Structures are given as C-alpha cells and as structure tokens.
Amino acid sequence: MLRAFLRTEAGSTSVLFAATVLALVWANSPWSHTYEAFWHTPMGISFGDAAFSLDLRHWVNDGLMTVFFFLIGLEVSYEIRLGQLRDRRLVAVPAVAAFGGMLVPAGIYLILNAGGPGAGGWGVPIATDTAFVLGVLAVAGARCPDPLRAFLLTLAIVDDVLAIFIIAVFYTEQLSVPALLIAALLLAAIVTLRWLRIWRAPAYIVLGFSLWVATLQSGIHPTLVGIALGILVFVYAPTDHKLLLAGEAVQVFTSTPSARAAREATRRVQRAVSVNERLQLRLHPWSSYVIVPVFALANAGVRLDGEALRAAATSPVAIGVTLGLLLGKFVGISLGTWLPLRLRWGILPGNLVWGQLLGGAAVSGIGFTVALFIVDLAFEDPVLHDQAKIGILAGSLLSAALGWLIFKLAWDRGGVCAPPEAEPSEELPVTLSVPVGPGDHVRGPADARVTIVEYADFECPYCGRIHPVLEEVLRKNPDVRLVFRHFPLRTLHPRAAPAAIVAEAAADEGRFWEMHDILYDNQRFLTDADLEHYAAELAVDAWGNVSRHVARIGLDETSGRDSGVRGTPTLFLNGRRYEGSLDLDSITRAVEEIRESP
C-alpha cells in the first residue's frame, strides 16, 4: 500500500509541474485575459425553477478537490487501523514535527503581517505538498531511503488533517444553521448505513453528493466532507476465512475455466480486500494525474512581470509566505523532530540520520496544493492574492534548493555516520586501545593472519552497507577474521542501543552472529516489537539481564572512544586504524598488503 502510494505520488510530480508551468505561461501570455475569464465560466445544473451553479474554478476547488481530501481520509483511516499510525511511538515524532512545521511558519508570517491587510493569510505557509516533496526525494535518489519517505508521508498526513481543521475553523465566515443541520443528518445517515453494514454504492454516492451540497451551502468548506467520508470507509485486514474462499474460487476457475467461475473468483478476491484499499487503488491515479494537476492549472496562474515581481519583493504577504515556507518549515519540523526524540516520546522509522531528516525538513517547505487552496479562501483583494501566490512559488523553489543542498552536503561527505559532537579536526589515535580478547565477538579462525575489528551500530546505514562487503572479504580470505564491537550513536540512531542489547542477549545463547545478520538484514525494522520477534525466532530472551548487557556494550564504547572512534563504521586492521574507502576492492587490497608484509 505504502509503496503503491509513493510510486503514484512521485510519478505524478512531472504532470503537476507541467500543469503549473502551463498555468504560469497562460497567465503571462498575450492571451492572459482568457485565463481568469475561462475559470470564471459558470456551470451548473437546473431542474425546473431549482438551479445550482458554480464557476469552473469553484467546481475544481470545492468539488474535485473534495475527492483529493477524500483520499487523504482513506489514507488516514488505513494507516490508523492497519498501517504505521498504529504504533504511537512511530506517530509521535512526525506528528509533533508536523505541528511545529505549521506553528513556526504561521508565527513568522504574523510577525510580518499582524494588523495589516494580509493578516488573514497566516494559514498559507503551513501546508506541505506531498506530491512535490516525494518528487524531489525521488530525484535525490539513494540519499532519501524509504524510511525518510515513510516519515514524511506520516508528517504530510498529519499536516493535511491539521490544515483541513484550520480551514474549517478559521476560514469559515458565515454559517447557515439549517444547511448545517441537514448536513449533520446526512452524515448520520451515512454512519448508520456503515453501522448496519449496508454496502450499496449508489446509496453512498447519493448521500455523499447531498452532504457535499449541504455543507457547501452551510458555509463550511466542503473539503471537510471529503476527509470525513474517507475516514468512515471500512478498512480491515484480510481474514483467513475470506482468503480461503478466494483461494478456492481461484482454484475452481483454474480447474474449470468459465465466465461464471471467473466472475465468482473476481468477486471473492475483491471481497478479501477492504473497500478502503480498493478505492485508494482506483482513485489515486485520478487524483494524482488529473485532479491535482487541474487544480494547479486553475490556481497557479499569476502575473510575473517586472511590476508584479517588484511589488512582491517588498510585500509583507509575499515575504511572509516565502520565509514561512523556507525558514518556518525547516525550523519548525527540525525542532518538532528533535523534541520528542529528546524526551523519548517516540522513535524514528528505520535507520534515519539527522542529515536526512534536515533535508526532509527543508523540502517540506514546498507548499503548493493546500497553500494555493488557502490563498483562495484568505484573500479577496486580487493584488494580495497574486502576491501570496508569488510567495508560494518563491518559497517552494527555495525550499527545494535548500533540501538538495543539505542532502548533498550532509550525505556526500563520505561513508561514515558521526554524531554532532565529533570533532573532524581532532587528532585521533591510530592504534586499537584494547586488544582482541576472549570476550569479543569473533567470526573467523583464531589463528587468522589478519584481524578486522569493526566498531559499528545496527541502525547505521553505512554499517549496513559494509556488512555484505565484510562478509565477502571473509568468504574470499580464509585467513581473515572479523571482530564486532558495539558503538551505538544514540543521538543519530535511537534504535541502535536496543538492537545491541538484543544482540548481546543472543550472544548469551551462542547465537550472536545469527542475530547480527538478522539485524542488518532488517535495519528498517528495529522497533521493540521487531526486536522481540527476532529474539523469539532464535529462542532468545530479548530483555533478560539488560543491565549486564548494557555494561558489556559500554565496555566496547569506552574502548572505541579510547581508540579514537568518532563515527561508524570504523575499522582497525591488525590493530591499526583503516583510513581507506569502505568498498570491497579497497579493503581487499589492504588485507593483501598486510598479508604480504613481513
């Protein structure tokens, strides 16, 4: 589910970008007057004397975008019940980060605009555009692993929910009580159908459309309907019974193919998967490749001539939006990530490090879809309206550039994870302070000619990358042995220390290297539940004798610090620090040089 979502959103970025460029070209062409004229074309339905009409832009913003927010509701419902949002520890960090990423940008904007005509636009820089962010991460490639995408996706879900709440509370000017009561009754009818387990699509479509119209007439923005209906859609994990029925139906079709057997197999297979997941699969392409690009085409068009740009350069609205997206998002998300980690409220998915998190915080300043959406609600003055759009474009471009720069600087430094307190200019020892002894974890012959001592942690991505390299070195060189010593970087890798404890618990049963390999093969999954599962596989008591294991890990850390270890992985070959590249050829050459030396 998550992989499909990421592929769809990232793949649609080019279409969204093309729609944005087309809107800007259209709005700045000799035919620019046709841009606003076209999107203000009225369109509606009538039945006798009754009529319902909106212009094209409102059909897009109030109608099509309800489907977009409906999908957000589906994703929220799925993640809460079956996905990552079930684990409160995984949710806590991106949730607080999302809150910080909204509070700080709004504060920066209000500092520049409080009391002025643009004060109502404080909501513009609060939202992150998921499609553009994932597109930028796809361009960044290997520097942005799946855990970072999962972290930002969770952050974006929380961000979207908070943004919708802000739209409903702060950007609703007038309420029609009769229409609001009708909307409440219609929503109650939908909830009743769900409670009675009546699954008739026509009934939901009619009630849903009626609810949308009533909400629109009530004064509350109808996108709230979208997310509410999405959350209400039933989601469940496939039961063994349904899977069995589906398997039997497929087997019947395989043995005696017929149209009736094919229909029954299709029906059984579909029923094994929840309506929520089926709707996501069907609607995501429409949302990503049609609805959001059409929204961009309808809203991104703004004049970018010299006069407009000069006015925006001194406009508190444009500057506030730009700084809110560029600095506010970066500072807010960074602080919102650091705080829950510091207070141990939650954990990070996988093997994320601060270089990746700061890059993700920077690109989260790309605010587009929801930002443009709020612009349309916040400003009636066309001048302020256009200045806010220019601020969105400038802030988003600068945020993308800042994210790229951070990824490049933080992730192209080399193949070692180092904590913030490491001093690159410090003169470090070059020899191993504590020789290999009987208490070490050794893989290879005791009389090996070459001994490689590795200081590493189980969450370090570079340690995971060198793991198969060292295995290959041992396979090709029978006279080489590997010694593993713990050096968990707690400030960078919060799951490294618990993983080390479980590895030591496995060592008590003589199964250290089995656990060592399992942990590196599953670096993205190191929660307590994951570690307990791995321990159960090896019949190990994961949390037995924790104090003794912590002390054992502490001895490795002390020997590492005394040996000048400041990052992971750090290697010593026959007691001397290895300074070469961490690839197979370089390490193999170093081993051969030692072997050939007298």
Side-chain angles (χ1 to χ4, degrees):
M1 176 65 66
L2 177 60
R3 288 186 183 135
F5 179 87
L6 292 172
R7 281 200 301 269
T8 303
E9 291 297 326
S12 68
T13 303
S14 57
V15 180
L16 178 56
F17 180 75
T20 304
V21 172
L22 179 58
L24 290 170
V25 170
W26 187 359
N28 290 274
S29 70
W31 306 278
S32 58
H33 62 280
T34 63
Y35 180 79
E36 289 297 329
F38 175 78
W39 293 110
H40 281 102
T41 303
M43 185 177 74
I45 55 177
S46 62
F47 187 79
D49 294 333
F52 181 78
S53 179
L54 298 171
D55 64 26
L56 287 179
R57 178 171 286 150
H58 279 91
W59 275 113
V60 172
N61 294 357
D62 298 345
L64 288 181
M65 287 301 287
T66 301
V67 178
F68 171 79
F69 287 105
F70 175 71
L71 280 167
I72 292 175
L74 291 175
E75 188 69 22
V76 170
S77 178
Y78 177 86
E79 292 295 336
I80 288 175
R81 290 173 173 82
L82 300 178
Q84 186 164 290
L85 298 185
R86 289 183 305 165
D87 191 334
R88 293 180 181 178
R89 295 169 301 171
L90 286 174
V91 176
V93 180
V96 176
F99 185 76
M102 303 181 85
L103 188 64
V104 177
I108 290 175
Y109 182 91
L110 286 174
I111 288 173
L112 297 172
N113 289 275
W122 60 270
V124 175
I126 64 173
T128 294
D129 191 283
T130 309
F132 267 130
V133 168
L134 294 178
V136 170
L137 295 185
V139 173
R143 300 185 186 93
C144 307
D146 285 344
L148 179 61
R149 292 173 171 84
F151 174 83
L152 291 178
L153 178 57
T154 305
L155 185 151
I157 290 173
V158 177
D159 184 283
D160 286 334
V161 172
L162 291 175
I164 293 169
F165 175 78
I166 287 172
I167 290 170
V169 174
F170 297 100
Y171 290 97
T172 298
E173 295 182 356
Q174 295 180 346
L175 287 177
S176 170
V177 176
L180 196 59
L181 289 175
I182 294 173
L185 290 173
L186 291 168
L187 182 61
I190 293 172
V191 172
T192 302
L193 287 180
R194 184 182 186 279
W195 181 68
L196 294 173
R197 295 182 177 272
I198 298 175
W199 313 117
R200 294 291 182 270
Y204 284 97
I205 292 173
V206 171
L207 288 173
F209 180 75
S210 302
L211 176 60
W212 177 80
V213 173
T215 306
L216 183 66
Q217 296 298 320
S218 73
I220 295 177
H221 205 276
T223 51
L224 192 63
V225 171
I227 197 166
L229 292 179
I231 290 174
L232 287 173
V233 172
F234 202 57
V235 59
Y236 53 80
T239 63
D240 292 340
H241 178 67
K242 290 185 176 181
L243 290 174
L244 180 62
L245 291 176
E248 290 176 347
V250 171
Q251 189 173 13
V252 169
F253 171 74
T254 304
S255 60
T256 55
S258 67
R260 176 172 294 180
R263 184 179 65 182
E264 181 64 16
T266 301
R267 188 174 68 87
R268 291 292 186 185
V269 170
Q270 285 184 338
R271 286 191 174 183
V273 181
S274 69
V275 179
N276 178 295
E277 295 171 271
R278 298 204 300 269
L279 283 174
Q280 287 195 62
L281 185 65
R282 292 178 181 177
L283 293 179
H284 260 309
W286 286 99
S287 174
S288 300
Y289 290 98
V290 179
I291 293 174
V292 175
V294 168
F295 171 83
L297 184 62
N299 291 273
V302 60
R303 294 289 296 177
L304 295 177
D305 55 22
E307 181 181 350
L309 292 176
R310 282 192 297 271
T314 58
S315 165
V317 170
I319 296 172
V321 171
T322 302
L323 292 180
L325 292 172
L326 177 63
L327 297 180
K329 279 289 185 181
F330 179 73
V331 173
I333 291 175
S334 299
L335 289 176
T337 302
W338 174 82
L339 181 64
L341 289 177
R342 180 72 174 178
L343 299 177
R344 300 186 182 277
W345 291 348
I347 59 176
L348 293 172
N351 52 351
L352 294 181
V353 297
W354 274 107
Q356 295 166 325
L357 289 169
L358 293 177
V363 299
S364 295
I366 303 175
F368 195 76
T369 306
V370 178
L372 288 175
F373 195 87
I374 296 176
V375 165
D376 196 54
L377 301 174
F379 299 111
E380 294 183 0
D381 185 339
V383 174
L384 296 179
H385 193 277
D386 288 351
Q387 289 174 354
K389 287 185 179 181
I390 293 174
I392 292 172
L393 295 174
S396 298
L397 289 173
L398 291 171
S399 295
L402 177 62
W404 177 84
L405 181 62
I406 291 175
F407 282 132
K408 184 172 180 61
L409 293 177
W411 219 239
D412 290 351
R413 295 178 304 171
V416 175
C417 288
E421 60 270 16
E423 294 291 342
S425 60
E426 181 183 1
E427 187 174 343
L428 300 174
V430 296
T431 58
L432 194 65
S433 66
V434 178
V436 176
D440 277 306
H441 303 299
V442 182
R443 173 179 270 178
D447 59 349
R449 183 170 175 78
V450 181
T451 297
I452 301 175
V453 176
E454 177 192 17
Y455 284 91
D457 80 11
F458 291 110
E459 200 176 0
C460 165
Y462 295 117
C463 300
R465 200 173 301 167
I466 200 178
H467 167 57
V469 172
L470 295 176
E471 283 192 324
E472 186 67 9
V473 170
L474 295 183
R475 189 185 69 81
K476 290 183 175 180
N477 300 276
D479 61 340
V480 175
R481 64 175 179 169
L482 173 65
V483 177
F484 183 92
R485 288 181 175 176
H486 300 284
F487 201 80
L489 302 178
R490 291 171 172 80
T491 57
L492 292 178
H493 308 142
R495 304 304 304 161
I501 291 171
V502 172
E504 286 302 312
D508 287 346
E509 305 297 329
R511 312 193 74 173
F512 173 83
W513 289 104
E514 292 175 70
M515 181 62 75
H516 169 279
D517 295 343
I518 289 173
L519 294 174
Y520 275 128
D521 290 340
N522 297 275
Q523 273 195 303
R524 292 169 49 196
F525 309 101
L526 297 177
T527 67
D528 286 350
D530 294 325
L531 295 175
E532 290 166 3
H533 174 70
Y534 306 146
E537 286 183 351
L538 299 182
V540 168
D541 182 3
W543 310 118
N545 299 313
V546 170
S547 59
R548 180 165 58 83
H549 296 151
V550 169
R552 168 68 179 76
I553 294 165
L555 291 175
D556 281 356
E557 291 180 278
T558 300
S559 73
R561 282 191 292 270
D562 292 344
S563 303
V565 176
R566 297 296 182 267
T568 56
T570 297
L571 304 182
F572 290 83
L573 274 61
N574 279 7
R576 293 192 64 84
R577 178 191 296 276
Y578 171 70
E579 302 286 358
S581 299
L582 298 177
D583 59 86
L584 178 61
D585 291 340
S586 299
I587 296 176
T588 301
R589 281 196 301 270
V591 168
E592 290 173 351
E593 289 174 2
I594 293 174
R595 186 185 292 127
E596 293 170 359
S597 63

